Amino acid sequence: MCGIVAIYHPQGPISSEALRRATASLYHRGPDGQRQWVAPHGRVGLGHARLSIIDLVTGDQPIASEDGRRHIVVNGEFYDYERIQRELAKAGHRLRTRSDSEIALHLYEDLGPQCLHRLRGEYAFVLWDDAHQRLFAARDRFGIKPLFFARHEGALYLASEVKALFAAGVPARWHREGLYHATLVGSHPTETLYHGVSQLPPGHYLIAGPGGIQIHRYWDFDYPEVSGTPARSDDDWSAEFQAVLQEAVRLRLRADVPVGCYLSGGLDSCSVLGLAARQAAEPIRAFTLAFDHADYDEEAIAREMAALANAEFCPIPIRQADLTDDFADATWHSETLCLNAHGVAKFALSRAVRDAGYKVVLTGEGSDEILAGYPHFRRDMLLYDSGGQDPGAIQALLAELERSNPVSRGLLLPDGEAASLEGVRRLLGFVPSWMEAAAGRMRKMEGLWADDFRAEFADQEAYHPLLSGLDVRGQLRGRAPVNQALYLWAKTILPGYILTVLGDRMEMAHSVEGRVPFLDHEVVELIAAMPVALKIRGMTEKFVLREAARPVLTETVYRRQKHPFLSPPATLNPHDRLHQMVQDTLRGSGLRRVPYIDQARVVRMLDRLPGLEPGEQVAIDQILMTLLSACVLGERFALAA
């Protein structure tokens, strides 16, 4: 993985110094080399910070086409690239490198934007096409790799991270609507927290030229309508899924440097390790976080799995005090709000991986988002797709779901009074449970906004900005409720939070590339076509994965219910330094960096904390983490109102 930057001005010239500053700001993404290219006419420039993983010798970027009329910078990996290299050479292309990145350049020469359908992997790239005088940029299907853009003083700026846009000269200001929506939706396909800064949505490409900017979708989930799922046996589905997932893992083991694996006690990472161990020539090194709180520690389960896979087990001990030390840096790298310090824990894990000499790890991210692994998807199944079950039995199962998922209260399952979601109900016919949980957090947050800020959004339908930008008729109408909930989650929380706070940013903060086999598009397209009952069977989540991966799993992991990756809430440890950091920041001057919050109301919430029962404290912790991360962002980026 790498960091990329582009500046384009239709009239030119661009600033080469701004391009250099922006590229330099992404050093953590690419410490192995930094290069820039500016076109002879001066209207466009590309920057690249390189992390060398494939083709360590000749893979420097930007890469030029044979005739020098097209240049590209790429962040990410293209899999099965060697086969495409052979096809391109046979078609007459002269490849300058052995890098996987170069295939996108020549595929574009032959196919234009349709080249995206030939690419398999996680990527974001920018290409200058001098022949057509246009800039072409694209982002992978799921948003594994980030790509932000902004327009300022007639120029278009693109970069892997927002901080690079600021380094290039884009003003650093809060985006009022973006901040408000982030606290209720969690993320938005195009909005950010920063005024004038947008993100290219997953599965989309951007074309910029003298006539302006166009953004087009090239891929979507395309869940089948309820009546359109093919009839096949469980064994057939499981066998095909195992084969496709095994291939996705195999492709991601290809690197010119050692490949490790992140391992928790969960089904997802254990499945990846088990499948990878089948194909690796040597034992894989498995890195596991070991928390100092029993309810959140999975070291014993992970150790058992590592032994079964003949992996080299590497536990990384972490305490809440460690999270305090890293909180500000991790938040600066994430550039977004956090609900729990789990992202900070991943930040520390990636640092340990780098210090162990590894640049590449396989991870289990994305599985819950495509296989309905979270408890809120099971709640949706019980409420909206129960197949005529006895209402009393459903209520008993719902109560059991709540009892068995205490750490999910208010985060993944609804808690307390929620903001109105009638608009969602009218449009979809139901309200996804994850939206109910988010609406509960929003109601808690509403009580903390300054009066004028709250009044500004008082008449807005909470999810209208999100739903108005999605193809509701084409992608949601007629689909199973669980699939609708999966789709909406995948457009928001998956790219904007999971793949950011728990993925790319925490890994690339320490120059580590995370590879996600579950988000191989061939894997996802197969799962999307499956009946919902293969994702959730009774109260068992990710049923088809359990069956497909059973031969490589311990019995403990096979039988275990989903436990979300979370760090112990600061509110449960009032004498710990992380809790003190929350208290000091929110009671002190740090909160002034977020001018839309009423500090007196926040202090009253903090005063009530000791009298709350533990479940309520867990739910409040998410609000406090949101506020604390906002304070860090306001200070680190010196954000103006």
Side-chain angles (χ1 to χ4, degrees), residues 97-249:
T97 74
R98 293 184 293 106
S99 166
D100 60 301
S101 296
E102 190 174 354
I103 67 171
L105 177 64
H106 300 302
L107 286 173
Y108 173 86
E109 286 185 286
D110 292 348
L111 303 172
Q114 296 306 308
C115 70
L116 297 168
H117 299 289
R118 296 287 311 279
L119 297 174
R120 183 177 188 175
E122 47 254 6
Y123 54 83
F125 66 83
V126 182
L127 183 153
W128 172 250
D129 181 352
D130 203 66
H132 295 92
Q133 289 292 294
R134 69 182 183 186
L135 197 75
F136 177 69
R139 192 176 179 198
D140 66 63
R141 295 163 178 85
F142 310 104
I144 304 166
K145 295 291 103 186
L147 189 59
F148 297 92
F149 65 94
R151 283 168 282 194
H152 178 58
E153 296 183 345
L156 172 67
Y157 298 79
L158 300 98
S160 297
E161 298 184 11
V162 176
K163 59 181 65 66
L165 302 179
F166 294 158
V170 174
R173 296 171 51 196
W174 284 111
H175 179 218
R176 296 167 67 91
E177 293 84 352
L179 178 61
Y180 179 77
H181 293 150
T183 61
L184 60 98
V185 180
S187 182
H188 188 278
T190 58
E191 264 184 3
T192 73
L193 298 172
Y194 311 102
H195 180 80
V197 177
S198 302
Q199 53 185 329
L200 185 63
H204 284 67
Y205 65 86
L206 175 152
I207 294 177
I213 295 175
Q214 301 174 33
I215 295 176
H216 302 276
R217 185 180 70 190
Y218 70 90
W219 186 90
D220 218 331
F221 287 84
D222 296 328
Y223 285 107
E225 295 189 12
V226 173
S227 59
T229 304
R232 297 172 58 186
S233 70
D234 288 356
D235 288 343
D236 284 348
W237 281 115
S238 178
E240 185 176 0
F241 177 49
Q242 183 189 69
V244 174
L245 182 59
Q246 182 83 62
E247 173 71 358
V249 171

